Amino acid sequence: MSRSTMIACAVVCLTASQAVALNVGDRVDNFKLLDQNGRAHELHYLSDAKAVALMSHTVGCSELADDVARFEALAAEYADRGVEFLMLNADGLVDRSVVQATTPVLVDDTRVVGESLGFTAAGQVLIVDPATWRVEYRGNAAAASALEDVLAGRDVAPGDESANGCSLSFERDESDITYTRDVAPILAANCVTCHREGGIGPWAMTGYNMVRGFAPMIREVIRTKRMPPWHADPVHGSFSNDRSLSVDEIRKVVHWVEAGAPRGDGDDPLESAAAGWAEWPLGEPDLVLNIPPFDVPASGVVDYKYRYLKNPLERDVWVRATEIVPGDRAALHHVITTWAVPNDDGSMRKPKARGGLGGYVPGSTTDVYPEGTGRLLPAGSYIIFQMHYTPYGKAVTDASRLGIYFHDEPPEHRLRDAVLANTKIRIPANAKFHGDSAERTFDRGILVYSLLPHAHYRGTASEFRAFYPDGTEEVLLSVPNYDFNWQTSYVLKEPKRLPAGTRMVHTTWWDNSPQNPANPDPDREVPWGLQSWDEMLYGAVEYRALDTPTQARIEVAGSE
């Protein structure tokens, strides 16, 4: 093999274990899946376990019952010995409720994980050493002696792989999947908005050669659900800004990488699609405001900065959308934009009135309000920008801008915000999955448009649940895979009506353990705080009242 071929293979060639059955001694690649209860599990997160046992699973095959019982008995026996037991359902299930088991059953909806593990029948077991992520045993659920050998560091005898009748088959034809015909259109539709020159992605998808070089990484971030950045559980709710890939799209991209990333014939769709991106995707705003610039240092901690601008308008306006163009995308973590009318003496400590205008978070610069709604921006107000900067090793000056788009006529409904926050949180040191809640009861009917969970580095999962006056309850949003790097507002495809008397509970769970690679200090009890080394339990609900039309008047924030 020539040196150039070796270099190319180091970039795009995959080991046989990534595309065919894993044998003893092969390394298991990382993945993340939801279990039957909607909780996320990542394989390589279990690095503190003494061993990980994975058993293939299916539904509707009665011959699997004995294997499940044997596996769950092992799980109970080894519960205090540092062994993690997981089953993996490889049926491509959509309905998780059909899974009945005590042990977590990971639902491999795309089936790319099960096929990469080489499962051919339900009831097959892999025992993996988390120190190396290599397979130490491959056999059936009679694995007690193998577990003892793994825990003792002894050689493990080969296992019995005879099938139980619950066969699994994975139909994959990757021979004709190509970049030009199949993969590039998926990337163009779902990834290039961030992975472009000037975008927030760390590299630009400028064409085949660039994508080919990052192909193994693409496979890895898809299998671990880091990309595309969408973290909602699809079982609960449907959202208009859903950035996730479909099952078919995931299978195509993963199989393309595993086939060696073939180019295919024809022009490169990403090269031919390369074009300038509009500075203002919504078009030229009715009003553009330059946010006062700020010099961000190369390192250290930057407290939240509050920048004030006098509203230059001499009349009240109704706003239909806002858009922030960041000055430095790497340094600017988020912006929250509000307005306030000063007191008669000009003070702003407790302003006469205030309201929201939207903001900026990574991956989203535009805030288009729901149809028929708007936010009031009164004359004589000040626009306030809460700026959160994160130094990244280079001193820069951020000069961001706000674009505001007006309604021609007052909208039918005022858009409102409700906050569910708990400033009394205390997260115990080294807690792996600690939760707390905040709640609010709405004394009149509302129409919910979007839900936003917010936590910091230790946030790992979040949920909004409605408890209705008739005694029923419903999960409005579940985010089992919360990621601080993406502050997503989940916009309901169909706004949700909540009757008067509905109690909404917002729950967040945090990972304050050493297993969390983003954790600043696992030995610390963590309180509420603005900076990211502290934590938050903060949920925002965007809604309108069902019983009152818009009145063109200023209202104090939080008033109903």
Side-chain angles (χ1 to χ4, degrees):
M1 182 182 292
S2 68
R3 175 177 170 79
S4 61
T5 302
M6 292 175 64
I7 294 174
C9 193
V11 174
V12 300
C13 291
L14 294 169
T15 64
S17 66
Q18 291 174 322
V20 298
L22 287 180
N23 297 311
V24 172
D26 288 337
R27 187 176 189 276
V28 182
D29 291 333
N30 197 15
F31 61 83
K32 181 179 285 187
L33 294 170
L34 303 185
D35 67 19
Q36 73 270 36
N37 299 314
R39 182 169 174 179
H41 298 261
E42 182 175 359
L43 179 66
H44 286 191
Y45 175 86
L46 304 173
S47 59
D48 61 339
K50 300 292 179 58
V52 178
L54 287 165
M55 188 178 84
S56 53
H57 178 275
T58 188
V59 296
C61 182
S62 60
E63 296 176 59
L64 182 63
D66 289 343
D67 289 326
V68 170
R70 189 179 298 123
F71 192 74
E72 293 195 326
L74 274 179
E77 180 181 347
Y78 285 83
D80 298 326
R81 298 185 62 183
V83 181
E84 190 77 22
F85 287 80
L86 300 167
M87 287 187 272
L88 187 141
N89 180 276
D91 293 332
L93 290 178
V94 175
D95 182 5
R96 297 195 304 252
S97 67
V98 300
V99 177
Q100 301 295 322
T102 303
T103 302
V105 179
L106 311 188
V107 179
D108 184 15
D109 54 345
T110 65
R111 310 183 78 213
V112 299
V113 176
E115 67 186 10
S116 72
L117 296 175
F119 288 137
T120 59
Q124 293 175 334
V125 173
L126 301 179
I127 299 178
V128 181
D129 180 2
T132 61
W133 296 117
R134 299 194 181 279
V135 177
E136 298 293 329
Y137 167 86
R138 185 180 186 97
N140 60 30
S145 61
L147 271 175
E148 289 296 333
D149 290 339
V150 171
L151 294 178
R154 299 188 294 260
D155 291 338
V156 181
D160 180 4
E161 294 189 57
S162 57
N164 60 7
C166 301
S167 61
L168 299 174
S169 63
F170 300 94
E171 297 179 4
R172 55 182 288 159
D173 183 9
E174 58 198 28
S175 59
D176 61 350
I177 298 178
T178 68
Y179 165 82
T180 52
R181 185 184 65 241
D182 303 293
V183 174
I186 296 173
L187 303 180
N190 298 279
C191 309
V192 174
T193 53
C194 291
H195 289 273
R196 59 179 174 87
E197 298 296 340
I200 64 172
W203 59 281
M205 293 183 175
T206 52
Y208 172 69
N209 288 333
M210 182 64 76
V211 173
R212 177 176 178 267
F214 281 95
M217 180 184 289
I218 292 172
R219 174 181 181 270
E220 194 267 341
V221 299
I222 288 177
R223 283 169 53 100
T224 56
K225 300 187 183 297
R226 299 209 312 271
M227 290 287 145
W230 183 256
H231 308 104
D233 185 342
V235 167
H236 303 290
S238 182
F239 303 93
S240 62
N241 58 334
D242 189 341
R243 294 187 292 245
S244 63
L245 298 180
S246 69
V247 167
D248 182 60
E249 289 171 332
I250 290 173
R251 289 181 61 81
K252 278 185 178 179
V253 174
V254 170
H255 288 166
W256 171 75
V257 176
E258 292 174 348
R263 183 189 187 282
D265 299 326
D267 295 335
D268 187 325
L270 295 189
E271 287 183 358
S272 60
W277 293 77
E279 182 180 33
W280 301 99
L282 297 180
E284 189 66 25
D286 295 299
L287 176 65
V288 176
L289 297 175
N290 295 318
I291 302 173
F294 178 74
D295 295 328
V296 184
S299 61
V301 176
V302 179
D303 291 334
Y304 281 32
K305 299 300 175 183
Y306 292 86
R307 323 301 274 173
Y308 293 78
L309 279 180
K310 182 70 164 60
N311 179 6
L313 302 174
E314 297 181 353
R315 60 186 177 90
D316 294 350
V317 294
W318 285 94
V319 179
R320 63 179 177 85
T322 60
E323 187 168 358
I324 288 179
V325 175
D328 190 292
R329 293 179 185 272
L332 183 62
H333 181 267
H334 77 250
V335 183
I336 297 177
T337 308
T338 57
W339 58 260
V341 175
N343 296 307
D344 294 338
D345 61 1
S347 66
M348 296 285 284
R349 180 171 175 78
K350 290 185 177 180
K352 183 184 299 183
R354 60 187 178 182
L357 281 178
Y360 162 81
V361 294
S364 176
T365 59
T366 60
D367 191 359
V368 181
Y369 306 154
E371 184 176 357
T373 71
R375 299 182 186 272
L376 181 67
L377 176 60
S381 61
Y382 280 81
I383 299 174
I384 307 166
F385 303 91
Q386 183 200 75
M387 315 291 289
H388 183 189
Y389 293 107
T390 54
Y392 62 100
K394 177 184 176 182
V396 296
T397 298
D398 175 70
S400 300
R401 289 176 293 160
L402 169 68
I404 303 177
Y405 299 82
F406 304 156
H407 276 291
D408 293 331
E409 299 290 337
E412 184 178 359
H413 301 285
R414 179 189 295 274
L415 190 61
R416 303 171 184 268
D417 296 290
V419 171
L420 284 72
N422 182 348
T423 61
K424 306 298 183 182
I425 58 173
R426 286 282 178 177
I427 305 168
N430 295 292
K432 276 193 170 184
F433 199 68
H434 175 78
D436 211 331
S437 299
E439 64 179 65
R440 173 172 176 170
T441 299
F442 293 90
D443 59 8
R444 59 170 149 176
I446 65 171
L447 188 68
V448 176
Y449 292 109
S450 68
L451 300 160
L452 167 68
H454 176 75
H456 292 163
Y457 290 134
R458 298 170 179 85
T460 192
S462 194
E463 178 190 88
F464 288 84
R465 188 181 293 258
F467 293 84
Y468 298 116
D470 64 1
T472 61
E473 62 184 77
E474 180 182 9
V475 175
L476 303 178
L477 169 69
S478 174
V479 181
N481 186 24
Y482 179 83
D483 187 342
F484 175 62
N485 296 298
W486 300 94
Q487 302 293 317
T488 303
S489 180
Y490 296 88
V491 181
L492 296 167
K493 188 172 289 186
E494 293 293 334
K496 184 70 177 179
R497 289 178 173 267
L498 303 184
T502 297
R503 180 170 61 96
M504 185 182 292
V505 177
H506 173 49
T507 305
T508 292
W509 293 266
W510 301 272
D511 180 1
N512 193 24
S513 76
Q515 293 305 105
N516 177 0
N519 191 350
D521 183 0
D523 295 325
R524 173 175 175 251
E525 182 185 66
V526 184
W528 169 281
L530 293 179
Q531 291 291 350
S532 302
W533 58 74
D534 290 327
E535 269 304 334
M536 282 191 177
L537 194 169
Y538 181 98
V541 182
E542 191 175 59
Y543 72 98
R544 72 166 174 86
L546 287 173
D547 58 355
T548 56
T550 287
Q551 298 177 25
R553 58 185 177 86
I554 301 172
E555 294 188 9
V556 176
S559 66
E560 292 295 330

